[in-house]
Each structure stands twice: as structure tokens, then as C-alpha cells.
Amino acid sequence: MLERIISTLALLAATTVAGADGIIVSQSIDKGDVPFEGKINFEIKLEWSGSQSAYRFSRPLAPTFDRLRTERFSSSVSSTGSAADEVTTKVFKYTLVPVSAGIGRIDPVTIDYVTWPDSVPGQLITEALAVNIASPVKAEVSEGIGPVVWIAAGVVLVIVVAGLIRLRARRPVEIVQTPAEVLLERLTDLKRQAASDLKEFQSGFSRLLTDYLASQYNVRLVEYTEDEIAIALTATDLTIQQKEQITAWLVKAHADKFMPVASSPGDTIRLESEIRQFFERI
């Protein structure tokens, strides 16, 4: 009953007006009772005769609240009329939300200002306001049916999870390889097929390397000159040394495909080992 009386008085006094040195200050809240999950709009309005520059406010407002907190704040200033008939209105708006149930309080707010052009300081103080905050709404649970429903839901969940685990166990696992891993796997096959034939190895390696660049970096080569390859690799994240090595391999491999190559049996082995070490570290 006491809270209801306080709430009614708060709503009746929600708008208060005071004045000093030509400034009229008023404040208001849009409700005296608010649910715990609700919001309150709190507003402070200043009004004076004259231009917007007639008064300067030396520091921002610092209202304090009990059982409430600021969710949003905004301010605005506007004028109507002109010259001697000009009237200026400055508004501070706060959206407040409850933090606990009971009687919420908005403490008096001090407003410091300075007149212009004579720089005379002044001060306005609003009155305290109160609002009744309801208790949080508790989730309602149907008696009797509740436990049964929860047990049934738990059983269904266990069955579904068990089914998913069994289905996943039966499904073959798809292994996704990186472009570098694909190149290394195909490099092993190429080494076995080419044996000691360096020309055949270079022809196959040229395709492996261009496929890697297309898959990893979306680089598709048309020409195999050093300049063309360097331009194509510019946008990749390869280091300078890596770009130079790949360029050298591509130029030589492309040239070896179309020229007789005299090589020793160990050339293919050494080149394959060099390539493998490079892509295992990349």
C-alpha cells in the first residue's frame, strides 16, 4: 500500500518546473509504475528567451539513480522565433531500465551554466523523483505435467544423440587435402612413373606446379617467361625466395619439355627431393 501511495505521488510530481535568471527548467518521467523488464523515459528540459548562445553549460549533466541505470542518452537544442521573440529549448533525454525491484529514485540533478557575454555563472537544481519497480516475472511451470515433459524430452534427446553418433560412425570420413599435400602425393606417383627420365619428370612436374598455383592462389599461367610468372605471383603471400624458386622451376621445366635433355640417373632423384623439401616446409 505504501509503495502504491509513493508511486501515485511520484506520477503526480513527474513534471516539475523551476526557474532562475531567465531559464525555466522542467523534468518529467513517463510513468510512475514500471515492470522490472520495462523502461522509463526521463527528460530534463531547459527553456529561455534568447538565442542558443545566451547560456553556456560548462559541464555535462551527471544524474545519479537508485535501482535504475541509463540505457540510452541523447540531447538536443532548438529555437523558435527570431530577434526579441526568439525562444530556445534544450532537452536532455534518458532511457532508464530497472536493476532491482522496489522504489527507484532519480536524485536531484545539478545544472551549471554561464551567461553570455558577461560570463556570470549560475546553477539550477531539479527535484528528486521516485518510481515503483515491480518484481521480475517468474517463468510459470505447469504442475504435474512439467516433470513428465522434462523426462520425456531427456529420453528423446538421448535417443537422437545416440542415433547421430551411430550414423557418424558408419559414414566414411572425408579427408580434405591442402593443395600442397595434393602436389606431394602426385609427386610420388610422378617419380615412380618417370624413373630416371628427367624430361618426362619435368613435363609432369610443370603440370603439378601450375595446378598447385591455380588451386592455392587462383593463379593461372599463360606464358612461362620469368616476367610473366613474376607478375602472376605478385599478389600471392609467397616470400621473395619462394617466388624466385617457383619461377626458376617453371621456366626450366617448361624449357626441358621441348628440348633434348641429357641427364644422369641421379638428376631426377635430386630434383624430386628438392621439390619435396620445399613443399613440406611451405
Side-chain angles (χ1 to χ4, degrees):
M1 184 65 182
L2 177 60
E3 290 184 352
R4 180 61 58 187
I5 293 172
I6 293 175
S7 174
T8 302
L9 292 174
L11 189 58
L12 291 174
T15 302
T16 59
V17 180
D21 294 337
I23 300 180
I24 298 174
V25 57
S26 61
Q27 62 176 347
S28 64
I29 53 177
D30 63 344
K31 55 179 70 73
D33 292 273
V34 63
F36 183 80
E37 299 77 13
K39 298 180 181 180
I40 303 168
N41 293 314
F42 170 49
E43 180 180 289
I44 298 175
K45 181 186 294 185
L46 305 179
E47 188 175 273
W48 63 86
S49 297
S51 66
Q52 296 181 14
S53 61
Y55 296 94
R56 296 181 180 179
F57 300 90
S58 57
R59 59 183 180 180
L61 304 189
T64 57
F65 310 103
D66 183 30
R67 300 180 186 269
L68 297 164
R69 67 174 176 83
T70 302
E71 182 185 66
R72 187 179 297 109
F73 166 75
S74 66
S75 64
S76 63
V77 61
S78 61
S79 297
T80 59
S82 60
D85 297 326
E86 185 173 5
V87 176
T88 299
T89 302
K90 187 174 183 65
V91 180
F92 303 89
K93 294 183 178 180
Y94 298 83
T95 300
L96 308 178
V97 293
V99 295
S100 64
I103 302 300
R105 179 181 171 87
I106 302 173
D107 291 334
V109 180
T110 300
I111 306 169
D112 293 313
Y113 64 89
V114 176
T115 61
W116 187 86
D118 46 358
S119 298
V120 176
Q123 190 177 80
L124 296 166
I125 301 177
T126 65
E127 296 182 7
L129 296 175
V131 60
N132 184 43
I133 303 170
S135 299
V137 177
K138 297 181 180 179
E140 296 183 359
V141 179
S142 300
E143 296 182 2
I145 298 178
V148 175
V149 173
W150 283 112
I151 293 172
V155 172
V156 172
L157 181 61
V158 170
I159 294 173
V160 172
V161 172
L164 290 174
I165 293 174
R166 183 177 299 177
L167 181 62
R168 178 169 291 184
R170 292 180 178 177
R171 184 181 301 170
V173 178
E174 181 182 357
I175 300 175
V176 179
Q177 291 182 303
T178 66
E181 291 172 339
V182 172
L183 182 146
L184 290 171
E185 184 176 298
R186 294 172 62 189
L187 186 65
T188 300
D189 296 336
L190 176 62
K191 178 185 176 183
R192 182 175 58 254
Q193 293 170 4
S196 60
D197 188 338
L198 182 60
K199 183 175 181 179
E200 182 179 349
F201 181 86
Q202 287 284 55
S203 179
F205 174 57
S206 176
R207 290 193 297 273
L208 293 186
L209 194 47
T210 53
D211 288 348
Y212 166 80
L213 293 174
S215 177
Q216 179 69 34
Y217 300 108
N218 197 28
V219 170
R220 304 185 186 279
L221 296 172
V222 178
E223 301 292 338
Y224 287 83
T225 64
E226 289 190 21
D227 290 341
E228 291 291 339
I229 298 170
I231 293 172
L233 297 181
T234 299
T236 68
D237 59 1
L238 293 164
T239 65
I240 295 176
Q241 292 77 12
Q242 290 170 338
K243 292 176 183 177
E244 290 176 349
Q245 180 63 81
I246 289 176
T247 301
W249 277 337
L250 279 172
V251 171
K252 190 173 189 309
H254 189 68
D256 288 350
K257 289 191 299 181
F258 303 102
M259 292 191 302
V261 179
S263 61
S264 63
D267 289 344
T268 303
I269 296 174
R270 285 191 292 272
L271 180 57
E272 190 275 343
S273 177
E274 179 184 346
I275 295 167
R276 182 171 299 278
Q277 292 178 14
F278 178 89
F279 282 98
E280 285 176 347
R281 294 194 301 266
I282 199 168

